[in-house]
Amino acid sequence: MRALKQKLIVAFSAFRTILPPLPWGGVGGGFASFSALRTILTSLPLGGLGWALTSCSDFLEITPLETIVLDKFWNEEADVENVVAGCYVAMQEQAVIDRMMVWGEFRSDNVVGGTNIENETDLSNIFKENINASNVFTTWGEFYNIINRCNTVLHYAPIVAEKDPGYTQSELGATVAEVSALRDLMYFYLIRTFRDVPYSTQPYLDDNQTMDLPATPFEAVLDSLINDLETVQDMAVRRYPSTKTYYRCGRITQDAIHAMLADMYLWKQDYAQAIRYADMVINAKTAAYQEELDKLSGNVFANDQMIDGYPLISDAMTTGNFYGNAFQEIFAQGNSRESIFELIFMNNDQMLSNGAVSSRYGNQTVFPGHARPADFICTDVNDEVYSVFLNKYDTRYYENIQAVNGSKTLSGINKYCSEGAYVDLSKAEITAVYSGFYSENYCHANWILYRLSDMMLIKAEALVEMMSNEELTEHDQELRKQAFDIVNTISKRSNCSSGSKDLDIANYPNKSTMAALVLEERQRELMFEGKRWYDLVRRSRRDGNTNYLVGVVSRKGSSGTGAIASKLARMEAIYWPYHNDEIKVNKNLVQNPAFGSGENSSYERTK
């Protein structure tokens, strides 16, 4: 009994809700009309609230409850835990992962339109950079839904602690840390996507509260998120026991909070702090794995050893002719030792499936999905161009993508879609063997938000940004070497060559070449994981222009490349517009100027 059973059918006859929907609610994610909002505010809220934990299982094991009213809830610890579980349930919804995927990946150079994309107008327009304020992917309601759930827990949990003597202060603190981090993660997605967004840490409990909040600037929200996480980090669960398999990386821990802080400080351009928090995660992961190795009393296989002192999973199989071990453990099985935080989908066809991956990337029935790898990625190794991968021995080329019916030019996204991928070195040419796709309605791939190599590359990026732009000092040379060593380690674990696997540091003599190496390694390592567009936006913010972003996105080579470059030349255009419904209802929101009024056109003419 380890997963979601069924969604509660919400009864809209309750007198008073304990967890109202988000003020930016509505099925489409826009502001609900105030008359509708009043109706919703006096009804039972979101399905996730009505999911309770049974006494014999983990946090994903839930059963439906009856309609709940305020005076019968928020009385004991189990009530709090039920709502916290609902926060995770809400994050697993297809609409949420869809946006994590689309916002973080689909405008980048990694992907283009795939199967039947002509029938998906909003997605098709995103690939063409023809985005307007009526595009459904500019809605944000699902994220504010989760934010308001978290705010409600933070409001009521201290009251429950006063009522329930079994709900200790340390347990209350852990709850506060957990839901604060979930809320902060949702806001972090929003500001990276829209830049300035309405920001509130107060729950919406009745219809007398102010709903039409103005947007808070990116920097102010980011500072608030960082301050919040730094305040709660020590209260979070450090590590769940090994018996709680799905808690260890399926719930917020100190490692997850430190990973978020490392990422946020990177965006803040406070590189010393980014390194500090990345090291906390790396050191914690290293210590935990060393404990496991010590238990083996020296009986450790070669591919179970750490790689250059990092607890990365070797991609080499126990036999010398096959690679794919890391891919199998990280993406096919999930919950690997490298994982920091991921959304868990049980390997059971009776349980909730990852519909976003199935529809967008592909499945047993339709492959590729609505998105596929850009052509230059598909042909990079076969044509020996190596504009993405460094050489033909990079196993990620064979694991991340899969040729369609043996095609040399057309491939689909294999990562997350298949149940395994192996690189076979026993033949004259390197070949890939795939285990098969998940069925259309039962994709059980976990969606990974943070993992170890991500932290290592965050540290590497921060190290590079601390270097001087001019002639390198001795200290700069040390920073360069540290950053290079990290990239080299990650690259080396995916190199299936029988010869030397090390990169040559002489090829990266200065800050600009090292910065390019780190960002390119992030593309190779984290491809299709919802990171690439955000990496390009962060680079543009740091540069103060979109030159690099335009250059790499233009590699897609579509017929409208010139028009796309013109649109993206404007800094505001790398963010998304507010949906028209938000602008209509919230008069305090001012549309992103790159999108004009948002009514009739996608982009205002670039000056």
Side-chain angles (χ1 to χ4, degrees), residues 42 58 65 101 144 169 195 301 304 318 404 520 531 546 567:
T42 55
D58 63 37
L65 289 177
M101 185 184 295
Y144 278 107
Q169 285 300 303
R195 188 170 59 181
F301 290 108
D304 287 328
T318 52
V404 177
E520 289 161 6
K531 305 276 187 179
T546 65
K567 291 175 180 179

Side-chain angles (χ1 to χ4, degrees), residues 25 67 75 86 102 127 146 157 219 300 323 338 363 367 384 406 410 468 584:
T67 298
N75 292 313
V102 172
F127 289 125
I146 298 166
E219 292 78 7
V300 181
Y323 275 66
E338 288 192 29
N363 54 65
F367 184 79
E384 299 183 353
L410 178 63
S468 304
K584 290 176 182 177

Side-chain angles (χ1 to χ4, degrees), residues 442-453:
Y442 302 109
C443 174
H444 303 300
N446 295 350
W447 183 253
I448 301 172
L449 289 96
Y450 287 110
R451 58 190 180 94
L452 179 60
S453 55

Side-chain angles (χ1 to χ4, degrees), residues 411-575:
S411 294
I413 297 169
N414 184 67
K415 183 182 282 188
Y416 291 123
C417 294
S418 75
E419 299 185 66
Y422 301 92
V423 180
D424 185 355
L425 307 178
S426 63
K427 302 178 177 63
E429 292 187 3
I430 300 173
T431 57
V433 180
Y434 302 97
S435 299
F437 299 110
Y438 292 107
S439 59
E440 184 173 8
N441 297 316
Y442 302 109
C443 174
H444 303 300
N446 295 350
W447 183 253
I448 301 172
L449 289 96
Y450 287 110
R451 58 190 180 94
L452 179 60
S453 55
D454 189 3
M455 289 299 102
M456 294 169 64
L457 290 168
I458 282 176
K459 178 180 178 179
E461 184 173 332
L463 287 165
V464 171
E465 292 309 313
M466 293 176 72
M467 293 169 58
S468 304
N469 286 315
E470 306 299 331
E471 184 175 346
L472 300 186
T473 65
E474 184 176 342
H475 179 61
D476 292 332
Q477 293 288 7
E478 178 58 29
L479 295 173
R480 168 174 165 262
K481 184 178 186 305
Q482 288 181 43
F484 173 83
D485 286 346
I486 290 171
V487 175
N488 187 52
T489 297
I490 295 171
S491 176
K492 188 162 56 177
R493 76 101 163 247
S494 295
N495 189 316
C496 63
S497 169
S498 59
S500 174
K501 302 175 188 294
D502 288 310
L503 305 178
D504 186 353
I505 193 171
N507 292 330
Y508 312 98
N510 51 40
K511 180 175 180 177
S512 61
T513 54
M514 275 303 306
L517 174 65
V518 172
L519 197 54
E520 289 161 6
E521 185 64 18
R522 282 187 64 84
Q523 180 181 24
R524 291 185 283 268
E525 177 69 11
L526 304 171
M527 190 172 283
F528 313 130
E529 295 182 41
K531 305 276 187 179
R532 178 61 172 171
W533 181 255
Y534 290 142
D535 285 350
L536 297 177
V537 170
R538 186 174 64 255
R539 167 73 186 256
S540 295
R541 286 176 60 86
R542 188 163 58 231
D543 291 348
N545 61 67
T546 65
N547 295 344
Y548 183 87
L549 179 149
V550 168
V552 296
V553 171
S554 297
R555 295 190 296 178
K556 286 185 177 182
S558 66
S559 57
T561 297
I564 290 173
S566 177
K567 291 175 180 179
L568 290 175
R570 190 171 178 176
M571 280 291 289
E572 294 95 336
I574 64 179
Y575 302 99

Side-chain angles (χ1 to χ4, degrees), residues 81 119 187 196 228 267 463 519 556:
E81 182 67 8
N119 299 326
Y187 273 126
D196 306 337
D228 191 32
W267 281 77
L463 287 165
L519 197 54
K556 286 185 177 182

